Amino acid sequence: MKVAFTTSGNTLDAPMDPRFGRAEGFIVYDTDSETFEAVDNKQVLNSAHGAGIQATEAILRKGANCVVTGHCGPNAFKALSGAGIRIYTTEAATVSEALEAYRAGALPTMKSADVEGHWS
Amino acid sequence: MIIAVASGKGGTGKTTVSVNLARTVGSHVQLLDCDVEEPNAHLFLRCAETAGDIVTIPIPEVDESLCNGCGECGRFCRYHAIVSFGSTPLVFPELCHGCGGCALVCPRGAIREAGRRIGVVETMETDGITLIQGRLDICVAMAPPLIRAVKARVSNATTTILDAPPGTSCPVITTLRGSDFVVLVTEPTPFGLHDLRLAVDMVRELAIPFGVVVNRMGVGDDRVHRFCREQGIPILLEIPDDRRIAEAYSRGELLVDALPEYGSHFATLLWNIREFRNGGGK
Amino acid sequence: MPESKVKELVVISGKGGTGKTSLTASFAVLADSPVLADCDVDAADLHLILAPRVRERNEFRCGNEAVIRSSDCTRCGKCLELCRFGAIVRGGDEEPYAVDPVACEGCGVCVRFCPVQAIDFPESLSGEWMVSETRCGPMVHARLGVAAENSGKLVSTVRREARRLAEENGSCLVIVDGPPGIGCPVIASMTGTSQALVVTEPTVSGEHDLERVLKLARHFDIPAWVCVNKWDLNPAIAERIEALALRAGAKIAGRIRYDRGVTLAQMQEKAVVETDAPSADDIRCVWESLGL
């Protein structure tokens, strides 16, 4: 299972970024091999529209099956759901805390978009 | 003749010039409010509300029974408005520009287009002025197609005045394109001059003859006049900084009605514009 | 996160010319080490008051534009037939078809369907954005090329950089001078901000536009404050506007009097609160009520 975390850093200590589409980057963690890869999302940050959609494409390319983030706008939600990616939400401060909560099965899944976000 | 009234910066008196100019032309005049994000001309003309024509842009609709999930549409779309993750594509209507590319590239003919509402065009009559305004729906970011719909109603038989949106970006260009003369409204202040320079660059790029109206004369200094002199730009009209004008405006009154002494100012402006046209001036 | 402690105040107006930039400049002076973002990229005027020293310039590229190589063009007219934006223009014998770069929306339809691949699709340069120093703190601002599109994207870029600077410098507040209107650039300037201040005037158009801009704020769930500038031009409408704002769920940030001192300050490249203009006191009150 590969889990994508939204973050502004490239280590497990890095702070979580509560945004999905406009997150600075992702850490895609492979729970089987216990390894991770940092994915830069700056390109998407630069685009005016469709950030959630492009971010979805980016993590899909890395083979992620689910994403852990803070909030998710309607376009991102629609894109992630359409891509079959499960969305978990967390208020954890760092990636490792969020990962721990994910492993413990303590994270709620998102059933609908929780922020307005087409242009955020 | 199509006269567009524009300004680099908002709030310089563009709408004031447009509506008073329309009233000065008198009859057989069209006033097109192309400031579709904030159409205001109607507030000064007291027209009865009328039903509007809904304006749409074409967006894709996917026929799931024909789609094989090849993803060609998503790879083509520059706006991320349609995207496929190996299954039937998802459409994001508010990102779509309506170029029609996805329907064209679909190898299975699975995409047809349907209209998505972006706003309305309303037509009103008042004292010889036909006011046509576009009104963009809230939270829609597509002004240019609506402006094109407003401009599609230009009649060649009348004098047409276009009230442009402020600034120098796409909606303004869409408005100005095809007009015969542009009136740039500004103020004799640092902000006014800075934004006038941008507007002048824009109008020159479009190669449309233009002149300047200086509003709130007396509030600043002569920097706008110096600039116009250096650049050989005609100043068509000066409107003094008169608190009574601001007050009449605040009540939604036409300047030429509330303060009839300004009637001759606008008659001069109209005469200047027509003279320019006839003289082939630049 | 870092839902980081950085707050973002966006100053918008619906209608242009209501004094938004003059007010933003005063806030820049009153705030405790803010970062400033001029997102009115069409008519960026904040620098005329804050006199920035540019530290860093960046090209802003956005999208692509079609260019027809006339040497390879076979004059079949396919591009003209397919373009929905009226961007293909008929020329003379030398150049039978050409793309009007101003009308081109960069969709790529003509590029894809040209039967002889005679259309190039280079990236278009639309402007530049700059990081500068001012007497009030760092400032991010931009210039959009004439007739360039996509100011929404440039607005997003300016805001992002301002936010990044604030986080780097440990600053708690980004003050955003927003664009007029309710369209794409405005949406880009307000989504996700902590609060919006709408500067309006007591005029029938101010009232009309306020309604539209507050709807937008509500749609994006952004706490909105309303301030009536030049309120004494028409006290009755000023009152009506405040009532309207309250009904729409906004808060009242105060009133600013009609004052020629605002323009005088602008002539001296000063913020109003840096002069002894009578309205400076009103502006200080507005700033206090925002509680930033």
Side-chain angles (χ1 to χ4, degrees):
Chain A
M1 187 68 97
K2 283 188 172 179
V3 191
F5 295 87
T6 50
T7 174
S8 51
N10 49 22
T11 64
L12 293 182
D13 301 331
M16 286 290 287
D17 189 327
R19 302 162 301 177
F20 173 68
R22 300 224 179 257
E24 293 215 356
F26 304 98
I27 281 183
V28 179
Y29 188 89
D30 187 333
T31 52
D32 300 328
S33 64
E34 303 202 332
T35 56
F36 68 90
E37 183 185 357
V39 181
D40 188 54
N41 195 43
K42 294 246 171 51
Q43 195 59 37
V44 171
L45 267 175
N46 270 322
S47 65
H49 305 318
I53 300 155
Q54 293 173 71
T56 303
E57 286 172 330
I59 61 166
L60 208 57
R61 272 197 297 276
K62 297 294 173 189
N65 314 88
C66 55
V67 62
V68 179
T69 186
H71 303 286
C72 184
N75 280 350
F77 183 81
K78 184 169 158 188
L80 287 166
S81 315
I85 294 177
R86 190 178 293 229
I87 310 160
Y88 294 98
T89 60
T90 180
E91 287 175 7
T94 66
V95 174
S96 54
E97 281 172 34
L99 176 61
E100 211 166 293
Y102 168 79
R103 281 192 166 132
L107 295 179
T109 56
M110 194 181 282
K111 297 283 192 298
S112 66
D114 68 338
V115 289
E116 280 294 345
H118 334 180
W119 284 279
S120 65
Chain B
M1 179 179 192
I2 303 175
I3 304 164
V5 183
S7 67
K9 167 183 182 309
T12 54
K14 203 166 34 59
T15 301
T16 299
V17 170
S18 304
V19 292
N20 285 287
L21 195 58
R23 171 59 57 86
T24 305
V25 172
S27 58
H28 299 294
V29 56
Q30 279 186 317
L31 174 58
L32 269 52
D33 195 341
C34 297
D35 190 357
V36 299
E37 290 182 35
E38 309 284 1
N40 278 338
H42 68 104
L43 298 171
F44 297 87
L45 294 172
R46 315 281 153 96
C47 329
E49 287 274 331
T50 54
D53 298 327
I54 290 170
V55 177
T56 62
I57 60 168
I59 64 161
E61 261 183 11
V62 183
D63 183 336
E64 293 187 24
S65 65
L66 294 174
C67 173
N68 64 356
C70 73
E72 190 57 18
C73 50
R75 281 188 292 279
F76 178 80
C77 180
R78 313 289 304 180
Y79 312 114
H80 309 282
I82 187 165
V83 60
S84 164
F85 302 113
S87 57
T88 303
L90 302 166
V91 176
F92 296 90
E94 72 276 19
L95 300 179
C96 178
H97 288 221
C99 74
C102 52
L104 289 167
V105 300
C106 177
R108 299 176 59 89
I111 299 178
R112 61 165 194 274
E113 295 179 273
R116 169 186 180 241
R117 179 189 155 123
I118 56 167
V120 289
V121 176
E122 295 156 331
T123 305
M124 300 161 243
E125 296 283 341
T126 171
D127 299 337
I129 300 173
T130 305
L131 172 66
I132 302 172
Q133 71 174 9
R135 191 189 287 273
L136 194 67
D137 287 347
I138 307 279
C139 304
V140 169
M142 303 274 165
L146 184 55
I147 294 171
R148 283 193 285 269
V150 173
K151 287 181 66 183
R153 287 158 174 80
V154 169
S155 152
N156 290 324
T158 62
T159 300
T160 302
I161 295 166
L162 308 179
D163 188 1
T168 55
S169 67
C170 25
V172 189
I173 305 288
T174 308
T175 304
L176 265 43
R177 177 185 300 277
S179 48
D180 299 304
F181 192 88
V182 177
V183 175
L184 295 176
V185 185
T186 190
E187 292 174 351
T189 61
F191 289 5
L193 175 59
H194 176 260
D195 300 336
L196 175 65
R197 284 177 191 273
L198 299 174
V200 165
D201 285 350
M202 165 183 72
V203 182
R204 283 189 173 145
E205 182 123 327
L206 289 167
I208 305 172
F210 66 100
V212 165
V213 168
V214 184
N215 193 9
R216 300 181 65 217
M217 267 298 289
V219 75
D221 58 16
D222 66 344
R223 63 184 77 202
V224 164
H225 286 75
R226 282 203 313 268
F227 170 76
C228 289
R229 204 159 48 234
E230 284 158 18
Q231 299 277 322
I233 300 167
I235 292 181
L236 307 165
L237 173 67
E238 293 167 348
I239 304 172
D241 182 40
D242 179 340
R243 186 171 166 140
R244 291 176 309 155
I245 296 178
E247 287 172 356
Y249 175 88
S250 82
R251 295 188 297 267
E253 289 172 8
L254 281 185
L255 180 52
V256 293
D257 294 344
L259 303 165
E261 63 265 40
Y262 286 109
S264 62
H265 284 69
F266 283 90
T268 309
L269 172 61
L270 186 61
W271 189 84
N272 276 336
I273 295 169
R274 286 182 169 155
E275 196 58 12
F276 240 84
R277 178 93 199 288
N278 299 336
K282 293 178 95 172
Chain C
M1 159 149 162
E3 191 111 333
S4 63
K5 282 158 279 154
V6 180
K7 285 189 182 164
E8 225 175 333
L9 168 72
V10 60
V11 185
I12 49 176
S13 65
K15 178 183 160 4
T18 58
K20 181 173 58 59
T21 301
S22 293
L23 204 56
T24 307
S26 284
F27 290 169
V29 171
L30 295 171
D32 179 25
S33 63
V35 172
L36 310 162
D38 191 348
C39 285
D40 190 355
V41 296
D42 263 353
D45 287 336
L46 192 56
H47 68 277
L48 297 172
I49 301 296
L50 297 181
R53 290 174 306 281
V54 177
R55 192 167 80 190
E56 184 190 319
R57 282 178 193 276
N58 303 275
E59 280 187 354
F60 175 71
R61 287 180 186 279
C62 184
N64 300 67
E65 81 187 34
V67 182
I68 299 174
R69 294 189 309 277
S70 23
S71 54
D72 295 324
C73 172
T74 60
R75 313 176 180 206
C76 71
K78 191 74 182 170
C79 50
L80 181 66
E81 176 201 322
L82 292 180
C83 178
R84 297 232 176 122
F85 308 108
I88 309 289
V89 287
R90 299 291 300 268
D93 281 347
E94 283 292 295
E95 208 181 46
Y97 292 97
V99 177
D100 175 348
V102 174
C104 177
E105 298 224 0
C107 71
V109 165
C110 60
V111 179
R112 169 76 171 249
F113 289 96
C114 173
V116 294
Q117 285 83 49
I119 306 181
D120 294 327
F121 204 38
E123 261 197 334
S124 43
L125 181 64
S126 341
E128 61 173 352
W129 59 270
M130 293 146 281
V131 179
S132 301
E133 289 303 330
T134 74
R135 62 183 181 279
C136 306
M139 163 163 157
V140 186
H141 49 134
R143 280 169 61 108
L144 201 57
V146 161
E149 307 209 12
N150 279 305
S151 44
K153 177 173 163 180
L154 187 51
V155 164
S156 302
T157 305
V158 167
R159 266 187 66 196
R160 185 192 71 237
E161 289 304 316
R163 213 183 158 82
R164 197 178 53 75
L165 271 179
E167 271 158 16
E168 267 176 28
N169 296 2
S171 164
C172 296
L173 179 65
V174 175
I175 303 177
V176 180
D177 188 4
I182 57 159
C184 173
V186 185
I187 291 170
S189 76
M190 64 192 291
T191 45
T193 55
S194 356
Q195 67 195 81
L197 173 66
V198 187
V199 186
T200 184
E201 287 177 350
T203 62
V204 287
S205 17
E207 189 178 13
H208 176 256
D209 296 344
L210 178 70
E211 211 166 343
R212 286 169 70 81
V213 86
L214 285 180
K215 266 188 200 162
L216 193 67
R218 206 163 52 229
H219 180 87
F220 288 106
D221 202 16
I222 294 163
W225 296 76
V226 170
C227 151
V228 182
N229 193 11
K230 307 179 190 170
W231 71 273
D232 44 343
L233 273 182
N234 195 324
I237 297 188
E239 225 150 86
R240 239 163 49 204
I241 284 181
E242 289 174 347
L244 170 88
L246 289 171
R247 275 200 308 278
K251 293 183 190 163
I252 307 302
R255 295 174 168 188
I256 300 169
R257 72 192 84 172
Y258 180 85
D259 179 9
R260 287 181 168 220
V262 173
T263 308
L264 293 178
Q266 191 192 114
M267 311 293 297
Q268 301 161 30
E269 300 179 18
K270 282 183 178 167
V272 178
V273 294
E274 290 173 315
T275 69
D276 50 13
S279 61
D281 288 339
D282 303 343
I283 295 176
R284 285 191 194 94
C285 289
V286 169
W287 174 248
E288 289 301 321
S289 29
L290 293 176
L292 287 166

